[in-house]
Amino acid sequence: MSATETAPVTVPSFGDVASAWLRGRAPRPALVSAVLVFTLSSVRAYGKARSGIDNAVVVRAARALLSGGSPYADKRFLYPPGAVFVALPQTLLSEKVLFYAVPVVTGALVAVGGVLALRIFGVRADSRLAVALALGTALFLPFQSLVFLGNWTAASVVAFPAALLLARNGRWSAAGVVVGAAVALKPMLVPLFLLFLLARQWRALAWALGVPAAISLSAAVALPRPGLFFTRTLPFLLHGQDAYARPYDASWPAVLPRLGVPHTLAFALAAVAGTAVLYFAWLRWRRGGDPALRLVECAALLMLAAFVVSRPSFLNYALVVVPSLATSVVVRGATVRSVWFWMPLVPQLGGVPWPGVDSGQRHAFRDVVMFGGLAAVLGLAAWRGRRRGEGVVTESSCSYSPCSKVSEAEARPDPEAR
């Protein structure tokens, strides 16, 4: 370079400046306020007489086991056999203690999941982004629903970011164990099996399959009449449960018939939509890019594909994917930096009305927009970025294998993108 020439000056973009600001430590009053609002939102369930309804179903199943009966005699117990034994310690507590403890424990699990989501992108737990995440979660209707019901989706809310954090750090087998343990309690994270397939992490996939199989088989042996799971529980699930739960189901096979679409056509449309979302997940994985962002966006698409098709698909399921997606805002090129990502979520904030669908019986119409909107935005971003996936280096089970000839400099991730 000659004396008259100067090196080019790189001006940070607004997104990079905002990312650095969000990563910074928040003022102590802001942290205290966020914790207070989050806690108050967790305990608001105390104002309702029947909080912890979903957790009570599992506890009732555990008490049935202690009495010598089969947990699956109760048609509303829809969990794998291992969940019965995990719920046994709760049988030692009174109904009054459970009434006050379940919302707090559920909220604490969501908070742990939020911290793990932040750590995926190297963001500290006392950052400004953590404050924003805590406040947003406190106002998020899926969170309020989860805390009120005491639903065991909370285990998946923790396991999803925990598994992705382990995978981000190269500990794929441990990620498989986490996913397998979560599936043994509630088979919500089954779509993540496909993530191990995409990453060619065969050992992790074996752990993810083996752990729930071993736990469920061992628990089933100790249960009276475990066959009721196949003859009673499974058909009840496949038929979309009953009139009590069906209005809250936001899956396409449940919502479209309420709009006059025939059941067969509704299922066909859901299958097509789910397959399309799976294709977008494959495109997102193939594109590569920042390792953490790649994991989160691909895993979120896999989960959203299941939310579109599977029955049931309830409001609180959004908490599995939204916190990890929201924290990806600090990464350059993240889909959540688009305003379109947030639009399906705004109606899910407490106090934001949606005339005609605010009641519990009609809330599923709002929820299907959320799940479908998130899947569409992430899928469209994956489709638009498919060209950028050519010539990247993908991670295999043992080493890096180039998809095409690229230089080492091109294959190396941008350290500033983390």
Side-chain angles (χ1 to χ4, degrees):
M1 181 180 296
S2 64
T4 59
E5 294 178 343
T6 58
V9 178
T10 302
V11 179
S13 66
F14 173 78
D16 294 332
V17 173
S19 173
W21 185 81
L22 288 171
R23 288 178 179 272
R25 180 178 294 178
R28 184 167 297 178
L31 286 170
V32 173
S33 299
V35 171
L36 178 61
V37 172
F38 185 89
T39 303
L40 290 175
S41 184
S42 300
V43 301
R44 66 185 301 170
Y46 295 163
K48 301 181 181 180
R50 297 187 62 204
S51 66
I53 301 171
D54 288 354
N55 180 71
V57 172
V58 193
V59 176
R60 188 166 64 239
R63 287 174 175 157
L65 174 64
L66 295 177
S67 302
S70 173
Y72 293 108
D74 183 352
K75 69 176 183 178
R76 299 208 176 278
F77 178 67
L78 307 175
Y79 295 83
V84 180
F85 295 91
V86 176
L88 283 177
Q90 294 191 57
T91 61
L92 303 175
L93 305 176
S94 65
E95 295 294 338
K96 185 175 182 179
V97 171
L98 290 176
F99 175 83
Y100 288 104
V102 169
V104 175
V105 173
T106 305
L109 289 173
V110 175
V112 171
V115 172
L116 292 172
L118 291 165
R119 295 308 305 157
I120 295 175
F121 300 99
V123 181
R124 43 192 307 146
D126 59 353
S127 63
R128 295 183 181 93
L129 180 57
V131 170
L133 182 64
L135 293 175
T137 303
L139 299 175
F140 200 35
L141 293 179
F143 172 70
Q144 297 174 13
S145 170
L146 184 73
V147 171
F148 168 67
L149 296 173
N151 193 279
W152 281 35
T153 297
S156 298
V157 173
V158 175
F160 182 83
L164 296 184
L165 177 61
L166 290 168
R168 172 66 183 86
N169 294 331
R171 301 177 61 187
W172 283 92
S173 293
V177 172
V178 169
V179 171
V183 170
L185 292 180
K186 185 172 184 176
M188 176 172 286
L189 297 187
V190 167
L192 291 190
F193 293 172
L194 295 177
L195 182 66
F196 300 132
L197 282 176
L198 290 172
R200 300 180 183 179
Q201 296 292 337
W202 313 119
R203 184 175 298 178
L205 178 60
W207 279 110
L209 293 170
V211 168
I215 293 176
S216 296
L217 288 175
S218 301
V221 171
L223 293 180
R225 302 174 66 193
L228 287 176
F229 175 80
F230 298 99
T231 60
R232 183 169 186 169
T233 303
L234 199 57
F236 183 70
L237 269 173
L238 294 177
H239 286 85
Q241 302 192 45
D242 55 14
Y244 173 79
R246 197 173 297 121
Y248 305 97
D249 188 350
S251 64
W252 283 28
V255 172
L256 292 181
R258 297 176 65 181
L259 298 174
V261 179
H263 288 274
T264 303
L265 179 58
F267 182 80
L269 292 173
V272 171
T275 302
V277 178
L278 288 177
Y279 173 68
F280 292 141
W282 176 77
L283 286 179
R284 181 59 191 93
W285 181 261
R286 186 171 177 268
R287 193 179 95 194
D290 180 87
L293 183 63
R294 181 195 198 191
L295 283 167
V296 168
E297 291 188 347
C298 181
L301 280 166
L302 293 173
M303 295 301 301
L304 288 168
F307 296 161
V308 168
V309 180
S310 67
R311 301 185 66 181
S313 181
F314 294 132
L315 166 67
N316 53 64
Y317 290 6
L319 277 176
V320 176
V321 298
V322 169
S324 297
L325 286 170
T327 56
S328 70
V329 72
V330 297
V331 180
R332 187 185 308 161
T335 305
V336 301
R337 290 193 176 188
S338 167
V339 67
W340 295 104
F341 173 85
W342 301 99
M343 290 184 67
L345 297 177
V346 170
Q348 297 289 351
L349 295 177
V352 177
W354 192 333
V357 292
D358 280 333
S359 66
Q361 293 289 317
R362 307 193 69 181
H363 205 283
F365 293 108
R366 181 191 295 195
D367 306 336
V368 75
V369 171
M370 174 179 61
F371 290 132
L374 293 179
V377 173
L378 289 169
L380 183 59
W383 174 261
R384 288 177 172 175
R386 67 191 186 282
R387 295 292 183 184
R388 284 177 280 171
E390 297 177 357
V392 300
V393 171
T394 59
E395 189 176 5
S396 66
S397 58
C398 55
S399 61
Y400 288 95
S401 57
C403 295
S404 63
K405 295 181 180 179
V406 292
S407 66
E408 182 179 356
E410 291 172 334
R412 188 179 300 116
D414 180 8
E416 297 299 327
R418 296 183 183 179

